[in-house]
Amino acid sequence: MPISGRDGARQRAAWRDWSLKSVKLGGTALAGWSLSCGSAAADMLADTTAAISPDNMILFGALGGMCAFAVTASVALVRHRKQSAQLTDTLEKQKSDLKFRVDRLEAMLNTDEQRVIVWTGNGAMPQIWGILPEKSGVPRPPAQLLAFGSWLTAKCAGDLERHLDMLFRTGETFTTTLKTRTGTYVEALGRTTGGAVVLRLRDLTGERQMQAELAARNAKISGELHMLHALLDAMPAPAWQRDAEGNLIWANQAYAEAVDMTDADLAVKEGATFLDAAARTAMAVQRTEDGCFNARIPIVASGERRVFEVTDVNANVGGAGIAVDISELEQAQKELGRAEEFHGRTLDQLAAAVAIYSADRKLQFYNAAFRQLWDLDPAFLESRPEDSAVLDALRAARKIPEQADYRVWRNKMMESYQSLEARESWWHLPDGRTLRVIANPHPQGGVTYIYENVTEQLDLESRYNALTRVQGETLDNLSEAVAVFGSDGRLRLWNPAFGRIWGLEEDQLSELPHVKEVVSACTLSETERDAWEQLAGNVTGLLDNRTQKVSRLERHNGDVVDYATVPLPDGGTLVTFVDVTDSVNVERALLEKNEALEQADQIKNAFIQHVSYELRSPLTNIIGFAQLLADPKFGELSDKQSEYADYIQSSSSALLAIINDILDLATLDAGIMELDLGEVDVAPTVAAAVEGLKDRIAEARINLRTHVPGDIGMMVADEKRLRQVLFNLISNAVRYSEPDGVVDVSCSREDDKVTFVVQDHGYGIPAEILTQVFNRFVGHDTGSRRQGAGLGLAIVKSFVELHGGTVDIQSAEGKGTTVTCVFPARPELADQAAAE
């Protein structure tokens, strides 16, 4: 019966499931499945024998192929399992063999006297095998072993670290000998194997230990020899070294230069000889039994004949020598000998007795004055006696001071040999003479004695002191102040009146100050300074024809002093001061009265000027209001009121003319400074000054109002100074105004005068400061913004007065300040009026 399409699909799905199961199964299951499949196929074949179709034929073929594949896979799997079992047995055997070999190698490493350190490079701690005896100096704890600096010397630890670093980076192997801190030696070998770094440490014992010690000693000796050669090569003295046969094997650069060679190697190669035949002969004859030779020999070196101190040592292994150039020393010794001879002749010419004792306290030199002073036997002095023997001889002849305990006194004199500084003593001899004895120790030992006969000097000093006391008593009782300055300008003599007049303490005068110091101490005013400077010039002047000078000095406290300078024959100067204050009191009183009158006149002028300015502002207001009243556009007035208004205008105009005349008189005083005068347009000048302060005005929020008439015209002035005056005035007004305040700048011309008025409505200036505002460095601070240097108004006043004008300031606290400057429009007309 044919298989339908649905049944065929079901059978193919079942076959796929069987196939997957057959792949997953192994061994006996797969074989059983194959048999079952064979049985099923046989049954299916038997069932379908009766009716075979093409589909059935395809199915039967597929079943047969699957059965064959299953059989083949089963056979292959069995064979593979057998081979795997054999390979596993082989690997287990190899593993056992390898483990046995590793255990045997570890045992060998641990039994051998060495330590192996292995770094595998995976970041883990290195593995360490083996041991070393404690006497090797290598520690057993791993942590201490890896700290190489703890058991190796510093140099060896550094070398090992450097070798290991190169081994890790480049794989460069090394073998070196290391010295431990206990003095033993360890051999270190570094290798790389299989990606690991291996360090092996072995203790050097027996002959290897001796070989390492010899190598270290050889390295040390070689280093010392190299260092010694380097030192000798740096010396300017020729040095050389010979072998046992006497051949030159080494020389320094100085040797090469001495034998005219370019370098030391060439000198050694050529065998150049530094010593000539005579020197070599003298060396062979004079060499001591131990092979040493030392002598001064003249040798020709570098083309010059010089004296060398040659030191040469000879032994069975060779010899070495050095030659020090002492030509300059020989010359210095000769010069020293000639200097000593010259000094000896010089000391013989001195009047003071001189005796020089050497370090062994024996007399080395004495001059003729010494021999004459003590009158000792020349033979005794030539025998170079000791210092104590000379003192004993002088005591026996009763030529030194009598002492209660001579032995103690002599020992005290001998202390000069151990002293570091000169010692001075006075000897009063039995014959009445007095000696000043100076014992000056030498730095190299010994003492130089200087005996100075001061008998006549003491007598002169005694008489001089008596004369000085007489002069002192005389000067001390004078009412006039007397001071004597020496030729060097220093104070030499003074009396109490001098210190009393000038207020100088006795301590200051006792220091003998210079005239310049006296000037600094006595001058408390400029007048005193000028007078003292002239006086100091007379004292320190170098003129040959100095003359006496008399003058008068008025001191800061009102005293009047007449002083005179008298030149003295010795180059000094006598200065006398006489207080004449009482004699000029009448003159001073008259001068004071005259000054009072002048001051009163100045006060009067200031008062008139002040009053004129005080009247000017209300008068201006009166004139303005009168003009307003008289103007019909402001309202009609009666006839009587118009008449009164006319009276007011005429009277005010007359009064204004008088005030302007007073102002003309007040502004005639011109300055001495030359101004760059020229035609100045007033209105643009004011505008320029305002423009210069535009930013400051905006910053301070000030409302600036200018009142400049259109017909103000021109004036003769220094435009730069005028603009500076206006700038300073407006600047001060802005500074002393509150924010949102008002500053008025007005300009007017009246009777050939140009008046500038700057007015603010700020805090004002206190009355006690108002009188000083035109002084320099005087300011009025009412806030942090209003601080200034205090020079603005002073400059304004100076420039206005230089133009022949005047400046005035009015202020009241809480109401503001008004500054008025009046300039002559034509300064030449003002000068002409002043002259008339």
Side-chain angles (χ1 to χ4, degrees), residues 203-527:
D203 182 22
L204 298 180
T205 58
E207 293 183 358
R208 300 187 64 184
Q209 174 77 11
M210 294 177 60
Q211 182 180 2
E213 292 178 355
L214 290 175
R217 186 181 302 174
N218 182 41
K220 181 180 178 182
I221 294 175
S222 298
E224 292 177 353
L225 180 61
H226 177 72
M227 180 177 61
L228 181 60
H229 281 177
L231 175 62
L232 293 176
D233 198 40
M235 291 182 60
W240 61 88
Q241 187 177 358
R242 303 184 306 275
D243 57 9
E245 287 75 19
N247 299 320
L248 185 66
I249 59 176
W250 180 86
N252 63 353
Q253 185 61 31
Y255 185 96
E257 294 176 358
V259 296
D260 296 331
M261 293 290 181
T262 56
D263 55 21
D265 295 336
L266 181 61
V268 173
K269 182 178 179 180
E270 297 292 336
T273 303
F274 174 70
L275 301 176
D276 55 11
R280 291 195 297 272
T281 302
M283 184 183 300
V285 173
Q286 301 178 13
R287 192 181 300 275
T288 60
E289 294 180 358
D290 54 358
C292 295
F293 169 79
N294 181 268
R296 295 183 178 183
I297 302 175
I299 302 173
V300 177
S302 300
E304 297 182 2
R305 185 175 182 82
R306 309 182 68 85
V307 178
F308 288 86
E309 184 172 1
V310 180
T311 301
D312 188 88
V313 178
N314 197 10
N316 54 357
V317 296
I322 187 172
V324 180
D325 188 358
I326 59 171
S327 302
E328 297 181 358
L329 177 61
E330 288 282 333
Q331 185 66 23
Q333 289 179 347
K334 293 180 180 179
E335 293 292 338
L336 179 61
R338 288 194 293 267
E340 290 181 351
E341 182 181 358
F342 172 75
H343 290 163
R345 293 196 304 268
T346 302
L347 293 176
D348 278 338
Q349 305 300 321
L350 294 179
V354 178
I356 300 177
Y357 290 86
S358 60
D360 56 359
R361 301 186 181 185
K362 292 185 177 182
L363 184 62
Q364 185 177 4
F365 173 82
Y366 62 93
N367 62 351
F370 178 83
R371 185 174 60 254
Q372 295 175 0
L373 174 66
W374 301 117
D375 193 20
L376 293 175
D377 185 8
F380 173 73
L381 296 177
E382 292 296 333
S383 65
R384 299 187 60 191
E386 292 187 356
D387 192 356
S388 57
V390 174
L391 292 178
D392 292 341
L394 295 176
R395 178 172 179 267
R398 298 190 70 252
K399 295 182 179 181
I400 59 175
E402 298 291 343
Q403 302 294 333
D405 192 339
Y406 168 73
R407 189 178 302 276
V408 173
W409 178 81
R410 186 183 63 180
N411 293 336
K412 186 176 181 180
M413 293 296 298
M414 295 298 105
E415 293 177 358
S416 300
Y417 289 92
Q418 288 79 33
S419 178
L420 298 178
E421 296 181 356
R423 304 176 64 180
E424 179 180 341
S425 58
W426 295 80
W427 289 7
H428 300 283
L429 305 183
D431 57 2
R433 293 180 299 174
T434 301
L435 300 181
R436 177 171 172 260
V437 181
I438 299 175
N440 187 19
H442 294 174
Q444 294 81 13
V447 176
T448 298
Y449 288 100
I450 301 176
Y451 305 90
E452 183 180 359
N453 190 350
V454 295
T455 306
E456 296 182 359
Q457 179 181 351
L458 293 178
D459 182 56
L460 291 175
E461 287 182 359
S462 177
R463 289 186 289 174
Y464 174 77
N465 292 334
L467 180 60
T468 301
R469 286 194 296 270
V470 173
Q471 292 179 349
E473 291 295 332
T474 303
L475 292 176
D476 290 346
N477 290 280
L478 290 177
S479 59
E480 298 179 351
V482 177
V484 177
F485 293 90
S487 58
D488 57 353
R490 305 190 71 86
L491 184 64
R492 295 290 182 236
L493 185 64
W494 71 93
N495 65 345
F498 176 74
R500 184 172 59 254
I501 288 179
W502 293 106
L504 298 175
E505 299 294 337
E506 188 66 23
D507 296 339
Q508 294 178 264
L509 299 175
S510 61
E511 295 178 359
L512 303 180
H514 193 268
V515 65
K516 295 295 184 181
E517 300 177 11
V518 177
V519 170
S520 300
C522 296
T523 55
L524 299 178
S525 66
E526 194 63 28
T527 304

Side-chain angles (χ1 to χ4, degrees), residues 48 59 67 102 128 326-327 476 530 577 631 758 776 784 804:
T48 59
L59 178 62
C67 291
V102 168
I128 303 175
I326 59 171
S327 302
D476 290 346
D530 294 340
F577 300 90
D631 194 347
V758 179
R776 291 181 174 86
S784 60

